[in-house]
Amino acid sequence: MCKTSLLNCIIPPHLLKKLLESEDTEVRQAALDTMLTTARLRGERAIRASFAGPAATATGNGRRTVFDCDHGSFLASADLARSEDGPESMDESANRAFDGLGLTRDFYKEVFQRDSIDGHGMRLDGYVHFSVKFNNAFWDGRQMVFGDGDGKMLDDLTRSLDVIAHELTHGVTEHTAGLVYHNQSGALNESISDVFGSVVKQWSLKQSVEEADWLIGADVWTPGIDADALRSMKAPGHAYDNALFGKDPQPDRMSKFIHLPDTEEGDSGGVHFNSGIPNKAFFLAAVGIGGFSWEGAGPIWFESLKASGPETQFQDFADTTFQKAGELFGIGSAEQSAVLAAWQEVEIPIRGVPTGVARARSLAVDGNGGVRRQDGLAALTRQVGELSTQMTRLSKEVAALKRAG
């Protein structure tokens, strides 16, 4: 999924760096401590991986266990707070973590027939009250860890279901495509987590694509902070704009792609920045299809994730979603046309389709909030889809012949 030295953290590095500029001494100290602790954990993970190799997943029918770190940072010394068969905890953070783990597990089981994060019943361990005023939550490849936030800028990280689903989806990605955590594949990794973080929240609330807020981490900021969320899938670049954090830097199309060095300081090539581009594509596809995201765009994206590989780029993934939309809903279907239009809107035209043919303006909204294709577009989409299917089949046959030789 990512470089072994990296943790998948919900709060991007550039926001923590902004907190270091706060006039509040306590806020600056909390941000510094968070960054130092995160760096230490990355180092420990790298060492563990170099000696032990890939970590084996613990199976257990997706059983949940939540532990209380009591503001310590050594997970092995955490106390049991709630188990699958035990009573509700007196600690609300433990209960929120427990419920979030369960909702995400149940979503993948009921919607995609996936048995926990790894598809084989991986147990779900969560740790709350990690460290002191820790401004983050992360998935480390084996468990989910939540900080309490500093209480002034950032709140308890268990409060956002989409944050929990986002982090656990990093685990799903690890066990499917294994998207490498840098540059475009890393930004796609982040986007997949945002996509299903939002979809899980919508599924839990039974919201349609029109009713959803399409915000990631809306409950992360404390009430006094002038910000909507960490990110907006509907409007990347518009989640916040204030004196401390500045304006949300996420781009929403390829012409605004942000080129950063593939280093920790460069956010591994801007993975938390450029994820806004595929995020916007998913939003456009979901709204173009209409109804519930977990019935339309969600399955298309999930099947495309399973068909992807470690170095999949934006263009590769866009082409795959177009193909999967045709397989799931039919060549030339309204759903496939919506996917085509969505990617073209963020300036990633599907290979083989003339640029501009299927932009959103060429789609008409029907009475149910979905789309109906124009006849000319439908015929072209069908032809391109058939050609794409033939090319995929031919590639598989060639690969089989090479193996046989």
Side-chain angles (χ1 to χ4, degrees):
M1 172 190 60
C2 63
K3 298 173 184 177
T4 56
S5 61
L6 291 176
L7 299 177
N8 294 115
C9 298
I10 191 66
I11 306 298
H14 67 273
L15 289 181
L16 289 175
K17 291 177 183 176
K18 287 291 186 181
L19 290 177
L20 291 176
E21 301 171 9
S22 171
E23 296 179 356
D24 190 313
T25 304
E26 292 184 10
V27 170
R28 292 200 306 272
Q29 188 62 51
L32 179 60
D33 290 345
T34 297
M35 296 174 75
L36 291 174
T37 298
T38 303
R40 176 179 61 78
L41 291 169
R42 287 191 183 114
E44 289 176 357
R45 183 178 179 183
I47 293 172
R48 185 171 66 238
S50 66
F51 281 99
T57 56
T59 58
N61 300 317
R63 289 176 59 86
R64 297 165 290 175
T65 310
V66 176
F67 300 89
D68 183 357
C69 294
D70 193 25
H71 307 297
S73 56
F74 186 50
L75 300 185
S77 64
D79 296 322
L80 176 66
R82 188 170 178 184
S83 64
E84 194 70 55
D85 302 318
E88 185 172 328
S89 174
M90 296 292 289
D91 186 333
E92 287 306 309
S93 294
N95 291 329
R96 284 193 296 265
F98 186 83
D99 292 342
L101 294 173
L103 282 167
T104 305
R105 175 199 62 190
D106 294 347
F107 165 82
Y108 278 106
K109 182 69 173 179
E110 295 181 26
V111 177
F112 298 130
Q113 293 74 55
R114 185 174 183 80
D115 188 5
S116 191
I117 300 308
D118 63 347
H120 300 286
M122 182 180 185
R123 59 180 293 169
L124 301 177
D125 291 339
Y127 292 79
V128 298
H129 306 306
F130 176 77
S131 194
V132 178
K133 297 183 179 180
F134 188 72
N135 275 331
N136 230 321
F138 61 84
W139 167 262
D140 72 352
R142 298 188 298 183
Q143 55 246 332
M144 178 87 201
V145 180
F146 303 89
D148 291 331
D150 57 28
K152 292 188 175 183
M153 298 291 179
L154 293 165
D155 211 339
D156 186 333
L157 275 299
T158 64
R159 293 185 181 279
S160 284
L161 172 60
D162 48 16
V163 166
I164 297 174
H166 170 107
E167 292 302 322
L168 292 180
T169 298
H170 278 305
V172 174
T173 297
E174 178 180 6
H175 292 283
T176 50
L179 290 164
V180 179
Y181 203 73
H182 69 158
N183 301 326
Q184 283 196 25
S185 59
L188 187 58
N189 191 318
E190 277 298 321
S191 177
I192 292 295
S193 279
D194 277 354
V195 162
F196 290 106
S198 182
V199 173
V200 168
K201 181 171 69 173
Q202 293 173 36
W203 177 77
S204 72
L205 298 172
K206 300 299 178 280
Q207 290 179 331
S208 68
V209 294
E210 290 81 15
E211 295 169 330
D213 63 14
W214 294 100
L215 297 173
I216 302 298
D219 300 314
V220 164
W221 303 114
T222 57
I225 300 301
D226 181 20
D228 292 333
L230 294 174
R231 291 181 288 280
S232 170
M233 299 184 67
K234 179 178 181 178
H238 297 276
Y240 54 84
D241 187 359
N242 56 51
L244 177 58
F245 296 109
K247 189 179 186 303
D248 176 5
Q250 277 208 314
D252 64 355
R253 60 194 62 234
M254 284 303 290
S255 59
K256 298 180 180 179
F257 188 92
I258 297 174
H259 296 275
L260 292 172
D262 185 13
T263 62
E264 288 187 22
E265 293 73 19
D267 190 32
S268 301
V271 298
H272 288 96
F273 295 83
N274 295 313
S275 58
I277 298 170
N279 276 2
K280 183 63 180 284
F282 181 82
F283 164 77
L284 290 170
V287 172
I289 293 170
F292 296 117
S293 61
W294 61 90
E295 295 177 346
I300 295 171
W301 253 245
F302 188 68
E303 290 302 315
S304 298
L305 174 66
K306 294 194 296 182
S308 297
E311 293 284 357
T312 292
Q313 305 293 288
F314 287 0
Q315 182 68 66
D316 304 323
F317 192 76
D319 292 343
T320 302
T321 60
F322 179 76
Q323 179 185 338
K324 292 300 178 181
E327 293 176 4
L328 292 172
F329 297 100
I331 302 296
S333 62
E335 290 82 0
Q336 192 179 43
S337 296
V339 169
L340 180 64
W343 286 110
Q344 288 194 348
E345 192 67 21
V346 300
E347 300 171 353
I348 305 179
I350 301 301
R351 281 181 284 209
V353 180
T355 302
V357 168
R359 286 193 182 278
R361 63 175 179 270
S362 69
L363 300 175
V365 180
D366 64 24
N368 297 318
V371 295
R372 60 175 184 272
R373 63 192 183 278
Q374 295 178 348
D375 292 340
L377 174 62
L380 178 59
T381 303
R382 186 177 298 108
Q383 292 171 9
V384 173
E386 291 170 350
L387 179 60
S388 176
T389 300
Q390 291 171 9
M391 291 178 65
T392 301
R393 186 182 303 115
L394 180 60
S395 297
K396 291 180 178 178
E397 291 175 354
V398 170
L401 287 173
K402 288 182 177 179
R403 288 194 297 271

